[in-house]
Every structure is written in structure tokens, then in C-alpha cells.
């Protein structure tokens, strides 16, 4: 196989982003897209050079020319589509989370293993050049043994009430990126989670049993301790920072800003606020994650962010939710096994 033919299921904001990035890739062709709003997408698809638009994703799965599918549809549809795509012999890229139910995700991964296809989960932050450098620095031993990991992740504005209803809650929707990042940069598994949370931004979160502000402490199997703080509303922009402190030093990533200029006057010292939106902040990481997916299939090499990575992040999110509800630390089950 010298080029990958792809179908995309779900053409919302993230589906369109992936489509546009894939269309620019020299080793990929987007043959078909599927969405329940197919009719309204035909003009956009035509302008992008995508000729086949349908509201039935099964058409993509039975197409023998399609090698892989991108699943960008609502989370509630993921596991069914993963299992059907695996059975059809398609490689799979699935946006996070795999599902909101651990057993459903595990069953989907087992179907992927049985079919012998590849599955990558969309934790795009792993592919950000800054966070990748943190990972490489820790792995090289430059800062010694990790002792403390600090992750700050704060959105510029809260989501709509409609989104809150179906998101799976802060821990599964938002914090899950940070749980994956914690595993990624430390190279260690999370053994225990303790959460303090509150609704300080909008009482609507409490109405759905959710929180908009949280601090989480993590214990890792290598002895390190982690702290994650999340907020659904940072008025100054999209706040994304990571620090790993180790026995020989520390490595830290600060916020991306539009420019690095600093202006000093008698009135004060000023510099740009952080980039405002995740699509702006992580634009390149979305490109890099699809590059990695395509490369792993064409070269038959390991997936950079596997289904098991997705499952473990979900496991941490589930424990965080339990800790938030009970007010107690929650230990995670170890030794996840995906049956062949």
C-alpha cells in the first residue's frame, strides 16, 4: 500500500478539521464522508473535492477501496462503529473518548484485536511539539527521576448546556486529555486519584451532576505525584501548561501566545494573552497526529496513541468521577488486559 484511502464518519467541527488536514496530505485520499446532515454538507464536500456524501456510514464500511475510517461522530456511536469497522477490515482513527462506559470500550478494543486492524485514539496533545519535547526530556533522563507533575488546563469559556448534557462530564470530556498527558510525560501508570471539585462558574453544571472547577492529585506507580487543575472558564484565554520536576531538574511548557513581544512603558509591562481556542492552540498537533496514523499504517509500525492508551485514560476519568462524588481517594484497578 503506497497511499491511504479514507472515509470520515461525522463531519462536525473536528470532522471537518481532520478532512481538511487529510486533503492536504500527499499520501492520503478522502473518498467519502458520512453524516446525518449529509444534504447540507454536499456543497462544502464538493468544494473540497470529496465526491461521495452519505447519511449512512455503512456505505463507507462496505467500500473495498476505503482502507481506514476516521470516527468523529458523537461519543455514543463510537463503539458500535469501531466494532463494525474492525469487522470490515478497516483501520480506525477514533476521537476521544472511545466511549463513556469502560466495558463498552474494552469490548471495542477486543474486536479491533481480533480483526487485526490498527486503532489510534485522538489524544492530539501528545503530538504538540512542546509536550513532545517534555516527554523526550523526561525519557532521556535529563531531569532525573520524575517527582512531581503539574498540569494546568483551563478553557476560555464554558460549553453550552446542550453540550454539558451529553459530554460525559468534565473528567471524561476535558480532564481526560490531562490524564493521558500525565501518563505520557511520566511513562508511568496512575494508581490513585483524589479530586476536589466545585461549580463556581455556572450552577448549570451542578444540575447535571458535573463540576466546572477541579483539582486532582494523582499517585503514579513509579512513586511520582501529580497535580492537575481544570477550569471551564479562564477569562484571559486557553491556559495550557505542563511541568515535570525531577531529581536532577525540571522541564516546563508555558502557554502559546500569538507573539512573544513584550512592551514596557511607564504604565506597565504588557505581552500577549494565550491563544484563545483549542483549534488555534493545537493546530499543528492535529496535523501531526494524522501524519503518525498514516505512517503507522503504510509502514505497518506501532500506533503512537493506541486504544489501550484511550482505555487507561477513561479508567482514570472514571476513578476521578467516583472520587468527586464520594470525596475519597480512589485506587485504580491494575493490569488491563485486552483479549485476543
Amino acid at each position: 500500500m503506497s497511499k491511504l484511502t479514507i472515509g470520515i464518519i461525522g463531519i462536525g467541527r473536528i470532522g471537518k478539521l481532520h478532512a481538511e488536514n487529510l486533503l492536504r496530505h500527499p499520501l492520503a485520499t478522502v473518498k467519502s464522508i458520512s453524516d446525518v446532515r449529509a444534504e447540507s454538507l454536499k456543497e462544502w464536500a464538493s468544494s473540497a473535492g470529496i465526491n461521495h456524501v452519505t447519511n449512512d456510514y455503512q456505505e463507507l464500511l462496505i467500500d473495498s477501496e476505503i482502507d481506514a475510517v476516521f470516527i468523529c461522530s458523537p461519543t455514543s456511536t463510537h463503539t458500535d462503529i469501531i466494532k463494525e469497522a474492525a469487522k470490515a477490515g478497516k483501520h480506525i482513527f477514533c476521537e476521544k473518548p472511545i466511549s463513556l462506559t469502560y466495558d463498552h470500550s474494552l469490548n471495542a478494543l477486543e474486536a479491533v484485536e481480533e480483526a487485526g486492524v490498527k486503532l489510534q485514539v485522538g489524544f492530539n496533545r501528545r503530538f504538540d511539539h512542546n509536550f513532545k519535547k517534555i516527554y523526550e526530556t523526561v525519557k532521556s533522563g535529563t531531569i532525573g527521576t520524575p517527582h512531581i507533575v503539574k498540569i494546568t488546563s483551563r478553557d476560555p469559556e464554558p460549553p453550552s448546556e446542550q453540550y454539558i448534557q451529553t459530554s460525559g462530564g468534565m473528567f471524561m470530556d476535558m480532564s481526560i486529555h490531562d490524564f493521558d498527558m500525565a501518563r505520557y510525560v511520566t511513562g508511568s501508570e496512575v494508581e490513585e486519584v483524589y479530586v476536589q471539585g466545585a461549580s463556581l462558574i455556572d450552577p448549570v453544571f451542578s444540575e447535571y451532576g458535573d463540576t466546572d472547577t477541579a483539582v486532582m492529585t494523582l499517585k503514579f506507580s513509579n512513586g511520582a505525584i501529580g497535580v492537575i487543575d481544570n477550569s471551564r472558564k479562564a477569562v484571559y484565554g486557553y491556559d495550557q501548561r505542563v511541568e515535570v520536576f525531577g531529581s536532577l531538574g525540571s522541564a516546563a511548557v508555558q502557554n502559546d501566545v500569538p507573539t512573544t513581544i513584550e512592551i514596557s512603558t511607564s504604565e506597565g509591562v504588557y505581552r500577549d494573552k494565550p491563544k484563545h481556542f483549542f483549534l488555534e492552540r493545537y493546530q499543528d498537533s492535529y496535523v501531526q497526529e494524522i501524519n503518525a496514523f498514516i505512517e503507522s499504517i503504510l509502514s505497518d509500525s506501532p500506533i503512537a496513541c493506541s486504544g489501550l492508551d484511550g482505555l487507561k485514560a477513561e479508567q482514570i476519568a472514571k476513578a476521578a468521577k467516583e472520587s468527586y462524588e464520594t470525596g475519597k481517594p480512589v485506587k485504580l484497578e491494575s493490569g488491563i488486559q485486552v483479549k485476543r
Side-chain angles (χ1 to χ4, degrees), residues 7-12 32-38 41 50 52-60 70 72-73 81:
I8 303 175
I9 302 170
I11 308 295
S32 305
I33 61 172
S34 169
D35 193 279
V36 293
R37 303 172 297 109
L41 289 165
I50 302 170
H52 183 228
V53 182
T54 177
N55 60 10
D56 182 4
Y57 69 84
Q58 295 284 352
E59 292 183 25
L60 279 60
F70 273 57
C72 308
S73 51
I81 300 175

Side-chain angles (χ1 to χ4, degrees), residues 109-130:
L109 264 58
E110 289 173 348
V112 167
E113 288 286 328
E114 185 177 346
V117 297
K118 296 181 185 294
L119 167 64
Q120 181 171 318
V121 177
F123 285 123
N124 65 291
R125 295 182 192 180
R126 286 184 177 225
F127 302 90
D128 174 78
H129 64 284
N130 293 312

Side-chain angles (χ1 to χ4, degrees), residues 41-281:
L41 289 165
K42 285 183 176 179
E43 184 177 346
W44 170 82
S46 178
S47 68
I50 302 170
N51 298 320
H52 183 228
V53 182
T54 177
N55 60 10
D56 182 4
Y57 69 84
Q58 295 284 352
E59 292 183 25
L60 279 60
L61 303 184
I62 63 174
D63 187 335
S64 61
E65 293 185 355
I66 290 179
D67 305 303
V69 292
F70 273 57
I71 302 174
C72 308
S73 51
T75 301
S76 59
T77 68
H78 287 181
T79 54
D80 284 343
I81 300 175
I82 288 172
K83 288 186 283 188
E84 292 170 30
K87 188 176 180 180
K90 311 299 184 188
H91 299 293
I92 304 159
F93 180 101
C94 183
E95 276 301 327
K96 63 81 198 170
I98 298 170
S99 81
L100 301 179
T101 307
Y102 178 82
D103 288 343
H104 290 174
S105 297
L106 184 60
N107 290 340
L109 264 58
E110 289 173 348
V112 167
E113 288 286 328
E114 185 177 346
V117 297
K118 296 181 185 294
L119 167 64
Q120 181 171 318
V121 177
F123 285 123
N124 65 291
R125 295 182 192 180
R126 286 184 177 225
F127 302 90
D128 174 78
H129 64 284
N130 293 312
F131 296 149
K132 190 173 182 181
K133 184 64 176 180
I134 285 263
Y135 163 79
E136 291 169 350
T137 300
V138 174
K139 188 176 181 180
S140 71
T142 302
I143 63 168
T145 303
H147 290 175
I148 299 172
V149 180
K150 292 183 178 179
I151 300 174
T152 292
S153 183
R154 303 169 186 164
D155 285 351
E157 55 193 31
S160 66
E161 181 174 354
Q162 182 181 10
Y163 183 86
I164 296 167
Q165 292 176 27
T166 59
S167 70
M170 172 183 272
F171 307 114
M172 192 65 77
D173 170 55
M174 179 181 177
S175 311
I176 195 168
H177 278 289
D178 306 310
F179 299 143
D180 180 69
M181 184 56 55
R183 291 184 62 246
Y184 174 63
V185 298
T186 61
S188 183
E189 299 299 343
V190 175
E191 291 188 336
E192 184 177 282
V193 182
Y194 177 57
V195 176
Q196 286 283 354
S199 291
L200 303 177
I201 297 166
D202 192 328
V204 70
F205 287 94
S206 294
E207 293 174 18
Y208 294 99
D210 199 2
T211 179
D212 55 38
T213 308
V215 174
M216 293 149 269
T217 57
L218 312 175
K219 289 183 180 180
F220 295 88
S221 59
N222 66 359
I225 299 170
V227 180
I228 299 172
D229 77 82
N230 287 160
S231 173
R232 287 289 197 180
K233 186 179 181 180
V235 296
Y236 50 84
Y238 193 42
D239 193 352
Q240 301 281 289
R241 290 171 281 148
V242 174
E243 179 192 15
V244 182
F245 171 81
S247 58
L248 298 178
S250 68
V253 170
Q254 300 302 319
N255 283 309
D256 266 12
V257 292
T259 72
T260 57
I261 187 173
E262 186 172 274
I263 301 171
S264 301
T265 71
S266 61
E267 301 297 322
V269 179
Y270 306 93
R271 55 185 175 180
D272 287 346
K273 295 188 294 184
K275 291 178 179 178
H276 185 73
F277 197 43
F278 76 94
L279 292 179
E280 181 185 7
R281 168 63 178 81

Side-chain angles (χ1 to χ4, degrees), residues 14-34:
I14 199 69
K16 276 189 176 180
L17 175 70
H18 286 316
E20 290 164 355
N21 288 334
L22 285 164
L23 287 164
R24 289 192 290 267
H25 198 289
L27 299 179
T29 299
V30 179
K31 181 181 179 183
S32 305
I33 61 172
S34 169

